Amino acid sequence: MKQIQVVTNDVLGTISRADIEAFDAAGKDGLAKLTNGTGAGNDFLGWVTLPQETSTALLDDINATAASLRENCDVVVAIGIGGSYLGAKAVIEALQSNFAALEPSKGCRVVFAGQNIGEDYMAELQAYLSDKKFGIIVISKSGTTTEPAIAFRILREQLEKQLGREEACKRIVAVTDAARGALRTLATTEGYKTYVIPDNVGGRFSVLTPVGLLPIAVAGYDIRALVEGAAVMAKATLDGSNTLALTYAQTRNALYKAGKKIEILVNYNPKLHFFAEWWKQLYGESEGKDHKGIFPAAVDFTTDLHSMGQWIQDGERTIFETVLSVESSENELRIPTDESNLDGLNYIAGKRIDEVNKMAELGTRIAHVDGGVPNMRIVLPEISETVLGQLIYFFEAACGISGYILGVNPFNQPGVEAYKKNMFALLEKPGYEEATAAIRAKLG
Ligand code: PA5
């Protein structure tokens, strides 16, 4: 299997090898806490051995459900938010054509809902679905999250109007807690096909459960290869033969200690845009607590070199970059020769577009490192299911280790409740009467 690599040479102008090694003990301790379950949040460590433990029977079942949805639907709407959305979105976007939205190449089209409360978004989605055969995968671990609940109520009503309740039921799959939550109750009452999100796997670590696997399979991608890639990385990380997660966790903590408070995840391939969104949630929700934590940001290069490039080159020196560097692109396309050369491009005629992209990447790296921006690289041999599986597990393991190095509980997210309490109070949700009175008094 082609392996990912981590390259840290270009942080050495800012921190030394010794600065990174100073986190050796804390890194090993963090890894031990993940493997032994002795750290904070240890009731959410199901993801640690999940890839090796995912049964063939479960993968077969998910593939069969996906095949049935693909056969009966032109479009499947995956409803979910946060960890119940970003993993599937990240993997599908990484694997599919950039223009899949215009012309799906594989499987049936997967679109997403419930990841915002945009009225136009929902209305436009309804209009789009009005003349299509569609199905729904509704995903919520708690089963009570407002955004997906609203989307599901609206789309379920639309599907039932289009097909009748009995037929609609056959095209709805729910992924939720085994026993708790409104979605579980609804699924049981209506008789939907369901998958369980294990209790000990938190939302942002759930992409390799049915949360991510079902939408990815519906989109036509190989979930066995994805899980296999993750399992290879998991085994090697846990037995100590692969230290990439440790290296990344220790290096970013050494940079943080040196005042680098913002990590920018960079890609040079637009297919990885949503992978960065997934990564932002993983690290932001895991580490941003107790008034600590690296702020995870992301840019798409070279696009954003023409917008954020100035800030990164010359702005406040509180940042470091981690580049997702893809070795080989799927297609080969060369720049043609033009006799008139009016655009002055003949000096690169005959070169692959990817070669130009690589030179942009190298040139940017040199410029940013010279400008005081330490740079790490995560080298992906290609974008494929096995490589993405490795990358997912690598980032998850490093996140757990890094959170423990930082001294936080990487597996809770108490801060996300504050906005919900205010929203419920403002919407006068039963049970929030006191909060409604308090917020009204505050608003005057
Ligand atoms: O990581 C998390 O736990 C959160 O981001 C959740 O994934 C998100 O809030 C969605 O929650 P749920 O799956 O319960 O609807």
Side-chain angles (χ1 to χ4, degrees):
M1 185 180 292
K2 291 178 180 170
Q3 310 274 331
I4 65 167
Q5 298 298 327
V6 175
V7 184
T8 58
N9 299 345
D10 286 317
V11 302
L12 295 179
T14 305
I15 53 170
S16 65
R17 285 269 171 237
D19 292 329
I20 300 170
E21 283 159 16
F23 285 94
D24 270 359
K28 284 190 185 119
D29 182 59
L31 180 59
K33 282 178 174 149
L34 294 182
T35 51
N36 305 333
T38 49
N42 56 2
D43 41 350
F44 284 101
L45 293 177
W47 60 272
V48 174
T49 50
L50 181 76
Q52 308 90 297
E53 289 167 3
T54 300
S55 69
T56 308
L58 177 64
L59 294 175
D60 286 347
D61 194 277
I62 291 172
N63 277 327
T65 302
S68 158
L69 284 169
R70 280 208 306 271
E71 201 176 297
N72 293 301
C73 307
D74 305 321
V75 182
V76 169
V77 188
I79 298 177
I81 194 166
S84 293
Y85 152 66
L86 285 162
K89 176 81 172 167
V91 172
I92 293 170
E93 292 274 324
L95 293 171
Q96 76 183 2
S97 156
N98 286 291
F99 300 96
L102 301 176
E103 195 182 346
S105 51
K106 268 184 167 184
C108 78
R109 184 178 295 175
V110 175
V111 300
F112 293 86
Q115 81 282 34
N116 61 55
I117 327 179
E119 188 163 346
D120 287 340
Y121 188 96
M122 274 314 294
E124 286 160 18
L125 178 57
Q126 280 203 292
Y128 167 72
L129 295 171
S130 64
D131 60 353
K132 304 212 170 38
K133 291 195 290 177
F134 76 97
I136 299 173
I137 304 170
V138 54
I139 308 166
S140 177
K141 185 170 185 206
S142 62
T144 56
T145 307
T146 310
E147 292 91 335
I150 293 171
F152 185 47
R153 182 181 277 209
I154 289 170
L155 295 180
R156 181 164 58 101
E157 183 190 68
Q158 181 172 359
L159 191 61
E160 287 176 358
K161 273 190 189 147
Q162 278 179 226
L163 292 179
R165 199 163 164 177
E166 205 174 308
E167 275 308 303
C169 178
K170 294 180 192 159
R171 295 213 204 142
I172 296 174
V173 182
V175 184
T176 190
D177 185 84
R180 286 182 300 257
L183 181 56
R184 170 56 62 184
T185 309
L186 182 55
T188 308
T189 309
E190 296 292 327
Y192 301 144
K193 165 85 178 167
T194 62
Y195 289 96
V196 170
I197 307 171
D199 262 354
N200 59 359
V201 180
R204 59 189 172 275
F205 288 84
S206 69
V207 53
L208 298 172
T209 72
V211 168
L213 297 179
L214 181 59
I216 293 166
V218 170
Y221 298 106
D222 184 350
I223 56 171
R224 274 175 218 287
L226 186 75
V227 171
E228 196 194 337
V232 166
M233 181 59 80
K235 281 187 210 136
T237 302
L238 299 177
D239 72 18
S241 58
N242 183 318
T243 54
L244 296 184
L246 274 170
T247 301
Y248 176 57
Q250 290 178 208
T251 307
R252 62 197 297 283
N253 274 280
L255 289 164
Y256 183 55
K257 196 176 167 204
K260 304 299 176 187
K261 309 282 188 200
I262 299 164
E263 178 175 8
I264 304 177
L265 193 74
V266 178
N267 73 73
Y268 285 82
N269 187 322
K271 291 185 178 194
L272 294 174
H273 174 85
F274 273 95
F275 203 88
E277 295 300 311
W278 171 83
W279 171 89
K280 272 159 59 178
Q281 188 210 2
L282 183 65
Y283 280 77
E285 273 192 354
S286 299
E287 293 195 316
K289 48 197 72 158
D290 306 337
H291 295 176
K292 296 194 275 192
I294 296 169
F295 182 84
V299 290
D300 300 320
F301 283 171
T302 61
T303 310
D304 291 334
L305 284 171
H306 297 260
S307 64
M308 293 301 291
Q310 172 61 38
W311 199 103
I312 294 170
Q313 187 69 47
D314 279 342
E316 203 175 345
R317 300 299 72 185
T318 48
I319 55 174
F320 65 97
E321 288 179 319
T322 299
V323 178
L324 296 175
S325 183
V326 184
E327 276 184 324
S328 63
S329 60
E330 212 179 315
N331 300 284
E332 189 174 322
L333 185 59
R334 290 180 190 275
I335 297 158
T337 305
D338 180 352
E339 251 176 51
S340 64
N341 196 28
L342 291 175
D343 54 11
L345 274 186
N346 273 353
Y347 77 102
I348 48 173
K351 286 193 194 299
R352 287 183 61 181
I353 304 269
D354 196 48
E355 200 179 334
V356 179
N357 203 22
K358 293 269 186 319
M359 291 307 107
E361 181 178 333
L362 178 58
T364 304
R365 184 165 91 232
I366 294 167
H368 287 183
V369 172
D370 284 349
V373 181
N375 180 294
M376 267 194 279
R377 267 186 312 138
I378 298 169
V379 182
L380 319 185
E382 64 191 15
I383 299 180
S384 64
E385 286 92 335
T386 51
V387 168
L388 291 173
Q390 288 176 54
L391 192 63
I392 286 167
Y393 191 89
F394 157 78
F395 273 132
E396 288 179 345
C399 183
I401 296 166
S402 188
Y404 283 141
I405 292 176
L406 188 65
V408 298
N409 174 353
F411 304 112
N412 64 4
Q413 54 283 330
V416 301
E417 296 309 314
Y419 98 90
K420 289 185 197 169
K421 188 178 159 208
N422 288 342
M423 180 177 76
F424 293 147
L426 289 164
L427 290 169
E428 300 181 26
K429 184 174 177 175
Y432 285 77
E433 292 76 8
E434 250 182 62
T436 303
I439 205 163
R440 284 216 181 115
K442 193 177 276 185
L443 292 172

